[in-house]
Each structure stands twice: as C-alpha cells, then as structure tokens.
Amino acid sequence: MSEAEQIPASASEAAASAVLDALNATDSNGTEALNATAKFVATPEGTALAYGSLVFMALLPIFFGALRSVTCSKSKELGENDYDSGFRNAADMPETITSRDAARFPIIASCTLFGLYLFFKVFSQEYINLLLSVYFFVLGVLALSHTMSPLMSRVFPASFPNKQYQLLFTQGSGESKEEIVNYEFDTKNLVCLLISSVVGVWYLLKKHWIANNLFGLAFALNGVELLHLNNVSTGCILLGGLFIYDVFWVFGTNVMVTVAKSFEAPIKLVFPQDLLEKGLEASNFAMLGLGDIVIPGIFIALLLRFDVSLNKNSRTYFYSSFLAYIFGLGLTIFVMHTFKHAQPALLYLVPACVGFPVIIALFKGELTEMFRYEESSEETKEEATESEKKDQ
C-alpha cells in the first residue's frame, strides 16, 4: 500500500493467468503517483467509508461465487450443462486447477508481469491501454452478463416468451466437419447482454468508477465460481507460490509499481476517499486488486465444497476461512496505516485463510480427511482411464 492509503494487489486469477496476473500487479501502489500530485488528504470518515466499502465489496464475490461453485460442481459431476447459473456451453463450465498448474502459475505470472513491464517501456502507453480497454470491454460484458443470468431467471415471469437460440460455426463437410463455435443462449441471455453492453459503453466513454466496479465484481465472482482447485494440497501450493510472488514483486523490485502506473483496466475494485466531499465525481481512490479476492476466494470455495461433501449440515471450514479472510484483509489495512508503506495483501491473507481452517481440522480430527478430499478433473480422469487400460 502506498502512503496515499491504497490496498495493494497481489497475485492473479488462474484461468486468465496472463491477464489477471498483470491486473493484480497494477494494484500495488497503483494510485500513489496520482494522489501524490493531487496532494489530497482523506478525512477519517472518508477513509473509513472507502475501506469499509472495499472490504464489503470483496466479500460479495467470494461468498456468492463460492455458493455458485457448489452448484457448478454438482452439475459437472452429473454431466448437466443447463442449470440456474446459465451454463449451456463448454466454455462456461468450471476449469479445474491441478497441482501441476498451481506449481507453474507463479512462474508464468512473473514472466507475464515482467513482459508487460518491458511492453510499457518500449511501446506507447496510450495505444496499449486503448487495446486493453477494448479487450476488457468484451470480457467485461460477457462476465457481467453471465453474472446477471441467474438473477434474470428469477426476475422474468414464467409467462415470459423465452426463445432458444444457437450460434453454430463449423469447418469442413461430411465426416470431416468440426465445430468451431457452438453457443446456445435464450432471450433472457440477450437481455443480460444488452444491459451489460450499456455498462460496457459507459466504462469505455467515461471510465467511471462505478462501471469499473461492476466489471470488477463480475470478473471476481466468475473467477471464484469457475476456477476449481482439485484438492486442498493444490490450494496450498498455489497460495504458497503466489505468497512468494507477491512479496518479491512488491518489496523486491519496482516492476509492479511501473506497470501499476501504466495499466488501465477494470481489474481492481475502487472506492473514492473524497466521496463525502465530491459525490459521484470523486477522484481520489483506494483500491483492492482482484487477485486479492479471487486467489483466496477459490480456496474458500473449495472448503465450502469440502463442507458439503462431509454431509454434516455444517459449513465450519467455509465460515472459518471466510472470517479468516476478513481478518487478513483488516490486518493488511492496519499494517499499511501503521508503517505508511505498501503491503502485499497475500502476505497476510494466505496464512490466515490456510491456517485457520487447518487448525480447526486438526482439533476436530479431520485434517487427514481434508487433505484427502479430491475433485475430479480431466487430467485425473485421463490418468484413471490409462490406468484401467494397463490393468486390462
């Protein structure tokens, strides 16, 4: 965090490793230069409102994304591609992160971050950010539309004429024909897409912080919902690796700060510290990187699915890790204010989110069961198939 009281970023979201990784990088000390030039001093009330709002916004995608990940996981196990969250296409189904993916991710993230650093050094920042704006406009519209889909299914009356559509592109003919694009949607999805497009245009034209937050919340919720760790060990590998990544790039180099000052995209949640003075036109922001939400969030979502697998009608590990996240984020803010220096949030979030549930499992005698819990992935299925063939 900077002296301007910005919450730093840390690591990045796994599925879009290249993108979200850079995204988090942008949040570490991201608005230090802006606030320094403005010479703005936030009031205690403005600071409390800003950080309280950021913490609240961070909890929303973690809580609801974790709940939706349970439904998503059940649908995947049953082989169903059509349920309340609006999944009908393979691209919308969850992506499972294996231990191999988790071990490689910090290295890939570091290479991506340094690549962006060189990119901004060599090429014009204006043109790069123009391309990024268009890219994130498309991603944001799709993410927000997907996020809104379950809500729209409940808002529209049963009598609403909901027609089904299919977008299909194929290549070749006869037996050699293969699908390039096969996307199914309905009228409700089109309404969601239209509303999301309006928000997207608003963001492109105004770069307003509310539009930024709508996209950021959608990215974070989709990340927590669709990125599934296959077991607790994989989660520990991922969080441990990104813990080191975050500390190194924040404290060890100026790469994160340089990218942060150059990168413009809705990859962070922001809230103005001068909202009470300037209203919606406020411009001095505190911020929280999406990686500080998504990375701990996918681990918390895994623990919720573990709770469900125990069939005990309790959510002990989910609530303990959820409270641990609040504690870790609060500790990050406290240390930042005490030492007046940027802090990598994962430095505090990782020990809290991993440590609290593990200690509880140890006391309950369920530690072995926790680490044996396994969710199937395409990789494990292929290994199981090959093993069966060898046995035969």
Side-chain angles (χ1 to χ4, degrees), residues 292-311:
D292 296 329
I293 301 172
V294 174
I295 297 303
I298 60 177
F299 186 76
I300 294 171
L302 172 68
L303 293 180
L304 175 59
R305 297 193 297 275
F306 171 64
D307 276 326
V308 173
S309 72
L310 294 177
N311 295 318

Side-chain angles (χ1 to χ4, degrees), residues 38-277:
K39 303 293 182 182
F40 173 76
V41 179
T43 62
E45 295 81 4
T47 301
L49 178 62
Y51 286 122
S53 300
L54 284 177
V55 172
F56 176 73
M57 285 192 293
L59 297 179
L60 291 178
I62 292 178
F63 186 84
F64 291 105
L67 293 178
R68 288 175 59 160
S69 78
V70 173
T71 307
C72 182
S73 180
K74 289 180 179 178
S75 175
K76 184 179 179 180
E77 290 173 3
L78 295 173
E80 298 170 357
N81 289 337
D82 191 2
Y83 62 97
D84 280 347
S85 289
F87 293 91
R88 291 185 182 83
N89 307 283
D92 290 333
M93 291 302 288
E95 182 74 22
T96 302
I97 302 172
T98 64
S99 57
R100 186 183 305 172
D101 300 326
R104 289 185 300 197
F105 186 76
I107 300 173
I108 296 172
S110 297
C111 293
T112 303
L113 177 61
F114 190 67
L116 279 171
Y117 171 78
L118 296 177
F119 228 74
F120 280 114
K121 287 290 186 181
V122 175
F123 298 100
S124 171
Q125 177 181 330
E126 179 183 353
Y127 294 114
I128 295 174
N129 281 321
L130 179 61
L131 291 174
L132 289 174
S133 294
V134 175
Y135 178 65
F136 280 100
F137 165 78
V138 176
L139 287 183
V141 168
L142 294 176
L144 187 57
S145 177
H146 177 263
T147 301
M148 293 170 56
S149 183
L151 177 62
M152 286 298 173
S153 298
R154 292 171 174 81
V155 169
F156 284 103
S159 58
F160 180 79
N162 191 33
K163 296 183 179 179
Q164 303 294 322
Y165 303 94
Q166 183 178 23
L167 183 64
L168 178 63
F169 287 99
T170 61
Q171 179 178 345
S173 59
E175 295 182 357
S176 62
K177 181 186 291 187
E178 59 177 309
E179 292 182 357
I180 305 300
V181 175
N182 187 358
Y183 194 83
E184 298 179 20
F185 55 96
D186 54 30
T187 307
K188 295 176 183 177
N189 296 135
L190 290 177
V191 174
C192 293
L193 193 63
L194 178 62
I195 297 173
S196 302
S197 298
V198 172
V199 176
V201 172
W202 182 25
Y203 173 77
L204 275 181
L205 297 179
K206 300 294 184 180
K207 292 292 193 298
H208 198 278
W209 61 274
I210 295 179
N212 174 92
N213 286 347
L214 289 174
F215 276 173
L217 287 170
F219 285 140
L221 191 146
N222 278 275
V224 175
E225 177 186 4
L226 297 178
L227 296 173
H228 288 196
L229 296 164
N230 66 345
N231 55 49
V232 174
S233 297
T234 298
C236 292
I237 293 171
L238 179 65
L239 268 66
L242 292 176
F243 172 91
I244 298 172
Y245 159 90
D246 206 23
V247 172
F248 173 76
W249 289 110
V250 170
F251 288 145
T253 72
N254 70 334
V255 172
M256 246 190 201
V257 177
T258 303
V259 174
K261 294 176 181 178
S262 308
F263 202 98
E264 294 179 8
I267 43 67
K268 54 189 173 289
L269 300 181
V270 300
F271 200 91
Q273 299 179 78
D274 54 346
L275 179 69
L276 299 176
E277 292 84 5

